[in-house]
């Protein structure tokens, strides 16, 4: 028995290592194309690369006021440049040219693949058998090649580091390594301040793991109890478990408290230029995200017949009809009063949201209202799918955190959707082989198209000789 188990584990490790090696090789080829065709810093790299080079030169007091994120990206570059420079007998600054700095995100992207695979196996309690192992392997590969995430793995941006640290913190929290989880999440906040929302999410899910088993069975929590009954039982259990909650959650509370102290001291959540990064009440952001998420998760939502047919049947039930009616009713005033068009969205034709806004939303004033049924359908579909694997309160916590993370963002920027989407996709019911292959095909097609446009279809502005490139 032991020898059979060992052989099976060796086969799994070899499979994961083999796919990881292929992924790394493909990434290396794409990385070479990025650096040969666009060797100079591009877009936000124009700010990030010089700032990192200042840090690599130990000039930690220098700060570009156009940068609005905390210095986690630059400190991480200094931390790997220091030991490498000692081994290579050179200076850290000589290792902080554009290509070398981009390498950091490439390495983190490959590491993210292994983290996602391990977490998927744990999260969905896989059955024994090589087919199930392959499904988790393909699912991890699909998440790693998620186009928004994958594209920025070849540039020097903050997204890869923030995503890896948030997911690492979440994984560690499920193993009850709360100090390690809080540390990883704090590093994630240093990459992107909005990661603080996901610190609260991880703390919330940790609290649910403590109190939910005491007042309901898994079957009742997921399927049977009403929200009112659920919350009533939850509050009773909460007050009886405050000592246990404090003992588990205080590392996360320390991170949140430290961040709040920083905001009070700084006067804002952002550093540097605050004029174009002020918080707003941009309610349609969550509606845009719902359609975005349904599009990229379409393989899991449509081709997984248990979800698609079950959702279609649920729309005939009174409570789902009522939910759809409420969503339709609430979304119309939200769109009418709180749609916000950021100046950057209309001024920069290098980003895909510019063309979506120009060719869809600006085509006619009524378009934004005509999309309301689609927003409602997408939102309900996501909630229905999550309810297949998670409790009502987990889904509510996720929705609230998405709301808090997205609504204050004035700019329609797809990069803001990366962490919410990955958390959603991780917790959807494990897909069939057909749905996973369809998802892989969608990601591959979009990656090929967007990278081709970026690398081989540059354009020029009338008042500038510099080449401009299309990107997310």
């Amino acid at each position: 028995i032991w020898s059979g188990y060992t052989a099976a584990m060796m086969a799994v490790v070899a499979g994961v290592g083999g796919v990881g090696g292929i992924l790394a090789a493909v990434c290396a080829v794409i990385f070479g194309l990025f650096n040969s065709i666009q060797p100079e810093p591009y877009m936000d790299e124009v700010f990030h690369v010089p700032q990192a080079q200042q840090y690599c030169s130990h000039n930690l007091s220098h700060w570009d006021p156009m940068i609005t994120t905390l210095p986690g990206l630059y400190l991480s570059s200094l931390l790997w440049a220091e030991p490498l420079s000692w081994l290579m007998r050179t200076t850290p600054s000589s290792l902080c040219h554009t290509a070398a700095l981009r390498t950091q995100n490439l390495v983190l992207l490959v590491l993210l693949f292994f983290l996602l695979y391990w977490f998927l196996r744990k999260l969905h309690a896989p059955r024994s058998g090589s087919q199930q192992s392959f499904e988790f392997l393909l699912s991890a590969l699909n998440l790693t090649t998620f186009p928004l995430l994958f594209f920025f793995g070849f540039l020097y941006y903050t997204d890869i580091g923030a995503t890896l640290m948030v997911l690492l913190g979440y994984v560690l929290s499920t193993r009850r390594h709360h100090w390690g989880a809080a540390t990883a999440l704090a590093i994630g906040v240093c990459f992107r301040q909005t990661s603080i929302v996901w610190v609260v999410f991880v703390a919330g899910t940790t609290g649910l793991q403590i109190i939910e088993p005491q007042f309901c069975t898994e079957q009742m929590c997921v399927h049977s109890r009403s929200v009112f009954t659920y919350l009533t039982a939850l509050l009773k259990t909460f007050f009886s478990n405050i000592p246990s909650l404090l003992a588990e959650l205080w590392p996360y509370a320390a991170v949140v408290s430290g961040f709040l102290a920083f905001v009070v001291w700084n006067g804002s959540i952002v550093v540097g230029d605050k004029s174009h990064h002020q918080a707003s009440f941009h309610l349609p952001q969550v509606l845009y995200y719902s359609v975005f998420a349904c599009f990229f998760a379409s393989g899991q939502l449509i081709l997984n017949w248990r979800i698609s047919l079950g959702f279609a049947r649920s729309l005939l039930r009174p409570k789902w009809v009522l939910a759809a009616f409420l969503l339709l009713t609430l979304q119309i005033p939200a769109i009418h009063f709180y749609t916000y068009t950021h100046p950057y969205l209309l001024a920069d034709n290098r980003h895909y949201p510019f063309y979506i806004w120009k060719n869809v939303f600006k085509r006619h004033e009524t378009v934004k209202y005509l999309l309301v049924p689609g927003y409602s359908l997408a939102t309900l579909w996501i909630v229905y799918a999550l309810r297949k694997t998670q409790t009502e309160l987990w889904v509510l916590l996720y929705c609230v955190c998405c709301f808090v993370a997205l609504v204050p963002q004035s700019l329609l920027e797809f990069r803001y959707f990366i962490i919410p989407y990955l958390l959603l996709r991780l917790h959807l019911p494990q897909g069939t082989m057909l749905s996973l292959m369809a998802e892989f095909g969608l990601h591959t097609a979009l990656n090929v198209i967007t990278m081709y446009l970026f690398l081989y279809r540059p354009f020029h502005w009338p008042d500038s000789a510099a080449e401009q490139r299309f990107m997310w």
Side-chain angles (χ1 to χ4, degrees):
I1 295 175
W2 176 253
S3 61
Y5 174 78
T6 303
M9 288 301 298
M10 290 293 291
V12 170
V13 171
V16 176
V19 174
I22 294 172
L23 174 66
V26 172
C27 288
V29 173
I30 300 172
F31 183 77
L33 291 174
F34 266 70
N35 286 287
S36 61
I37 295 174
Q38 182 60 49
E40 300 301 320
Y42 184 71
M43 197 66 78
D44 289 2
E45 287 185 322
V46 172
F47 309 111
H48 292 315
V49 169
Q51 183 64 49
Q53 291 170 341
Q54 291 289 336
Y55 271 53
C56 289
S57 298
H58 300 140
N59 186 11
L60 303 185
S61 61
H62 174 85
W63 190 259
D64 185 339
M66 294 301 295
I67 296 174
T68 59
T69 53
L70 293 171
L73 179 65
Y74 323 120
L75 288 170
S76 62
S77 298
L78 176 61
L79 287 176
W80 70 256
E82 282 285 355
L84 278 180
S85 65
W86 182 80
L87 291 173
M88 300 174 66
R89 299 187 178 182
T90 184
T91 61
S93 58
S94 66
L95 301 177
C96 288
H97 52 84
T98 303
L101 291 171
R102 289 173 176 173
T103 305
Q104 172 181 328
N105 278 345
L106 183 66
V107 173
L108 296 182
L109 184 66
V110 176
L111 291 177
L112 183 60
F113 163 75
F114 293 101
L115 177 67
L116 289 168
Y117 174 77
W118 183 87
F119 189 46
L120 281 165
R121 287 187 63 93
K122 177 187 181 301
L123 190 63
H124 293 283
R127 303 181 301 271
S128 59
S130 58
Q131 181 181 2
Q132 187 73 5
S133 297
F134 180 76
E135 289 174 0
F136 284 103
L137 198 58
L138 182 56
S139 193
L141 182 63
N142 289 350
L143 287 169
T144 307
T145 58
F146 171 53
L148 270 294
L149 181 74
F150 194 65
F151 183 90
F152 289 102
F154 304 98
L155 297 172
Y156 190 62
Y157 271 59
T158 59
D159 303 274
I160 303 298
T163 301
L164 178 64
M165 288 298 105
V166 168
L167 293 181
L168 177 60
Y170 187 37
V171 170
L172 290 174
S173 74
T174 64
R175 305 292 293 177
R176 301 191 67 179
H177 300 310
H178 297 303
W179 263 113
T183 301
L185 291 164
I187 296 172
V189 172
C190 291
F191 276 89
R192 292 190 71 86
Q193 290 94 309
T194 51
S195 299
I196 194 64
V197 176
W198 305 111
V199 179
V200 176
F201 173 78
V202 171
T205 57
T206 301
L208 292 180
Q209 291 172 10
I210 296 172
I211 62 178
E212 279 186 335
Q214 300 184 33
F215 69 90
C216 64
T217 65
E218 182 180 356
Q219 185 177 4
M220 290 176 66
C221 282
V222 176
H223 298 293
S224 301
R225 290 194 173 190
S226 68
V227 174
F228 177 77
T229 305
Y230 187 95
L231 292 177
T232 302
L234 175 70
L235 288 174
K236 292 179 180 179
T237 312
F238 171 81
F239 287 111
S240 64
N241 284 274
I242 288 179
S244 300
L245 290 169
L246 291 176
E248 296 285 329
L249 300 182
W250 77 272
Y252 308 108
V255 176
V256 174
S257 299
F259 183 78
L260 292 176
F262 160 77
V263 172
V264 172
W265 171 79
N266 187 54
S268 172
I269 192 174
V270 302
V271 297
D273 181 22
K274 301 178 177 66
S275 60
H276 293 290
H277 294 83
Q278 297 181 0
S280 65
F281 196 64
H282 194 185
L283 283 175
Q285 282 277 34
V286 292
L287 307 182
Y288 307 148
Y289 168 69
S290 66
V291 174
F292 172 94
C294 269
F295 171 76
F296 280 102
S298 56
Q300 310 308 312
L301 297 177
I302 298 174
L303 297 180
N304 189 334
W305 64 269
R306 290 186 179 88
I307 294 179
S308 56
L309 294 181
F311 177 64
R313 287 194 295 265
S314 72
L315 292 178
L316 302 176
R317 299 170 185 167
K319 68 176 183 180
W320 285 90
V321 173
L322 177 61
F325 175 76
L326 290 175
L327 281 175
L328 288 168
T329 304
L330 294 173
Q331 285 174 8
I332 292 174
I335 290 171
H336 182 76
F337 292 107
Y338 297 104
T339 295
Y340 184 79
T341 306
H342 196 283
Y344 285 177
L345 179 61
L346 299 177
D348 195 341
N349 65 345
R350 296 171 293 183
H351 292 289
Y352 298 131
F354 169 88
Y355 298 95
I356 294 175
W357 199 262
K358 173 186 173 184
N359 296 317
V360 178
F361 292 93
K362 299 294 288 183
R363 187 166 291 275
H364 195 274
E365 184 65 22
T366 59
V367 169
K368 58 185 179 183
Y369 301 108
L370 294 175
L371 295 173
V372 166
Y375 296 145
S376 301
L377 183 68
T379 303
L380 292 174
W381 208 335
I382 289 170
V383 171
Y384 177 84
L386 284 176
R387 283 284 304 276
K388 289 296 181 181
T389 62
Q390 305 300 319
T391 63
E392 293 97 332
L393 199 59
W394 191 101
V395 176
L396 178 62
L397 176 64
Y398 171 78
C399 292
V400 169
C401 287
C402 286
F403 185 93
V404 174
L406 299 177
V407 167
Q409 306 288 351
S410 301
L411 179 63
L412 174 57
E413 172 69 80
F414 291 150
R415 289 189 298 136
Y416 301 151
F417 299 162
I418 292 176
I419 293 177
Y421 176 76
L422 290 180
L423 288 172
L424 165 68
R425 174 61 181 80
L426 280 167
H427 291 88
L428 290 177
Q430 182 65 10
T432 63
M433 185 60 66
L434 175 62
S435 66
L436 292 172
M437 292 300 296
E439 183 180 47
F440 178 77
L442 175 64
H443 289 185
T444 302
L446 287 175
N447 284 325
V448 169
I449 293 170
T450 54
M451 290 183 179
Y452 173 80
L453 291 174
F454 178 84
L455 295 172
Y456 298 110
R457 284 293 180 264
F459 64 98
H460 293 85
W461 287 337
D463 57 348
S464 174
E467 284 190 335
Q468 310 301 328
R469 301 183 182 277
F470 297 106
M471 63 188 302
W472 288 105

